[in-house]
Amino acid sequence: MNAAFDFFSPWMSGLATGMGLFAAVGAQSAFILRQGLQRAHIGSVLAVCAAADAVCICASVLAWRHLAATAPWLVPAMTWAGAAFLAAYAARSALRAWARGDGLAPASQAAATRGAAMLAALGFTLINPHFWLDIVLIASLAQAFGEHAPAYALGVVAASIFWLLTLGGGARLLRPVFRDPRAWRVLDGGVAIVMAALAWRLLTRAI
């Protein structure tokens, strides 16, 4: 009984932490939403995102402190790379919002091939300094659970999977709304603003 509680308590803490961190519309979530609305390889996209999240979360709990100490250049490098990545995506979204579309018809607005979709999903996960800041936070919080830190990490992983499935399923429910081209323009305009704001925040921190 005690062994089960020792696992469940940190697992629940990790689940709560993960939901608080992941339940937001960032670069990865916006990409998943677009792929889901287009039904463009959404299963592969979700699998890549879930696997990347799981590997990075578990690795952070086990080894992030050592990595941060031995590679102090990592945080600024990720900041500049992430700012460039987000700025490029903001520009692309702004162009889509400006152009006239045909609702769900233009599949070219989503990653067309399975390989391209999976590569983009990996990029939106890993080339994202906010993701790595979350990883650092998760690693530091996990240390409070001592030998039960892996259970905490598994709770965070469960939250990641739940959020990804929610995005994938929610996109399907929103398909009728996005048959109207104006809905796509509103979505792209909003994404462009959010991505540009994130890129600006990262640049102000790096300078």
Side-chain angles (χ1 to χ4, degrees):
M1 186 69 177
N2 287 336
F5 179 80
D6 289 342
F7 175 88
F8 188 71
S9 179
W11 185 88
M12 283 297 297
S13 295
L15 182 69
T17 300
M19 290 306 300
L21 292 174
F22 301 141
V25 180
Q28 184 197 66
S29 298
F31 174 74
I32 292 172
L33 182 61
R34 172 168 290 281
Q35 293 294 128
L37 288 168
Q38 299 272 0
R39 292 184 181 177
H41 315 295
I42 186 61
S44 298
V45 167
L46 293 178
V48 168
C49 291
D53 284 355
V55 169
C56 291
I57 289 166
C58 293
S60 73
V61 172
L62 297 175
W64 182 259
R65 285 186 175 180
H66 174 72
L67 180 61
T70 57
W73 51 267
L74 187 59
V75 172
M78 289 301 301
T79 299
W80 283 102
F85 185 77
L86 292 172
Y89 192 73
R92 185 180 178 187
S93 296
L95 289 174
R96 283 199 301 256
W98 183 262
R100 291 186 177 181
D102 299 316
L104 288 170
S108 60
Q109 290 186 355
T113 67
R114 188 178 305 275
M118 295 174 70
L119 186 61
L122 191 62
F124 278 112
T125 300
L126 299 182
I127 310 178
N128 183 354
H130 284 88
F131 171 79
W132 292 105
L133 292 174
D134 289 345
I135 289 297
V136 173
L137 177 61
I138 290 166
S140 63
L141 292 175
Q143 306 310 312
F145 295 94
E147 62 180 359
H148 302 295
Y152 178 88
L154 291 177
V156 180
V157 171
S160 167
I161 294 172
F162 177 79
W163 175 243
L164 291 171
L165 292 176
T166 299
L167 281 174
R172 179 172 297 183
L173 295 176
L174 290 172
R175 277 181 64 84
V177 176
F178 282 88
R179 293 185 188 281
D180 186 340
R182 290 173 296 182
W184 281 105
R185 299 183 73 175
V186 171
L187 174 64
D188 283 322
V191 169
I193 293 171
V194 171
M195 297 301 106
L198 290 174
W200 177 253
R201 285 185 60 186
L202 289 176
L203 286 175
T204 56
R205 292 179 182 179
I207 297 174

